[in-house]
Amino acid sequence: MINHEDNLRLAIQLSNESVEGGSSPFGCVIVDKNGKIIGQGYNHVVLDNDPTAHGEVVAIRNACKNIKSFDLSGCILYTSCEPCPMCLNACKWANIAEVYYAADRYDAENIGFRDRVFYEDDPISLHKIDLPEAVEVMQKWKNKSGHIEY
């Protein structure tokens, strides 16, 4: 039987390691359907100068590398703090359907993180320029035999 609290405590331990290593307090563990840890990580945003290197993303990358697949169907993600929208969508892309967290977005806001803006209206202005060659390359990929469905 999978022990959710123990896995969350490991994620919190990783968040503490992150703080001690000079980064922010976010850690993550991923287990397979049998409860075996297949990936873990903590926040590397500051360490790597990479705004996408959140603990969850690092753990997803680690798990995928370890099992040699981008599909984490049936896996469970445990994270020390509620995932931001980017991390939640990374879970969706990895086919992770179950996430457990300990602290929440308001706890993160109370220590200075600006997560609230990511749950509000999108401040990014999107502009589409129709260039048919972009769709042609996509169609080329679709027609190529042996491509992988995402």
Side-chain angles (χ1 to χ4, degrees):
M1 183 171 168
I2 296 175
N3 188 317
H4 301 304
E5 288 185 10
D6 284 351
N7 289 324
L8 268 176
R9 284 190 177 96
L10 180 54
I12 294 166
Q13 180 182 334
L14 288 165
S15 74
N16 189 52
E17 287 179 29
S18 182
V19 170
E20 290 177 359
S23 197
S24 49
F26 305 104
C28 183
V29 174
I30 299 173
V31 303
D32 66 14
K33 62 184 174 189
N34 299 314
K36 178 185 173 197
I37 295 173
I38 61 166
Q40 59 186 23
Y42 55 78
N43 190 287
H44 277 249
V45 170
V46 173
L47 300 174
D48 295 349
N49 293 312
D50 179 353
T52 68
H54 290 198
E56 297 90 340
V57 172
V58 171
I60 288 169
R61 290 172 181 162
N62 182 260
C64 291
K65 182 178 179 180
N66 287 337
I67 68 166
K68 297 176 177 42
S69 174
F70 62 83
D71 186 0
L72 299 178
S73 295
C75 294
I76 302 172
L77 185 140
Y78 298 90
T79 183
S80 60
C81 187
E82 179 179 7
C84 72
M86 177 185 73
C87 292
L88 281 175
N89 282 296
C91 288
K92 289 178 187 178
W93 277 111
N95 296 311
I96 296 171
E98 200 170 353
V99 173
Y100 292 84
Y101 62 92
D104 64 25
R105 67 179 88 164
Y106 306 104
D107 297 314
E109 183 176 12
N110 286 337
I111 62 166
F113 286 85
R114 59 186 180 102
D115 289 33
R116 179 186 303 246
V117 68
F118 300 104
Y119 293 92
E120 296 173 352
D121 292 334
D122 191 358
I124 296 173
S125 179
L126 295 173
H127 307 278
K128 182 175 186 220
I129 298 174
D130 282 317
L131 295 176
E133 55 264 40
V135 177
E136 289 170 10
V137 174
M138 296 174 86
Q139 193 63 44
K140 178 181 178 180
W141 177 84
K142 181 181 178 187
N143 295 335
K144 190 175 178 181
S145 63
H147 75 275
I148 301 170
E149 294 291 331
Y150 292 93

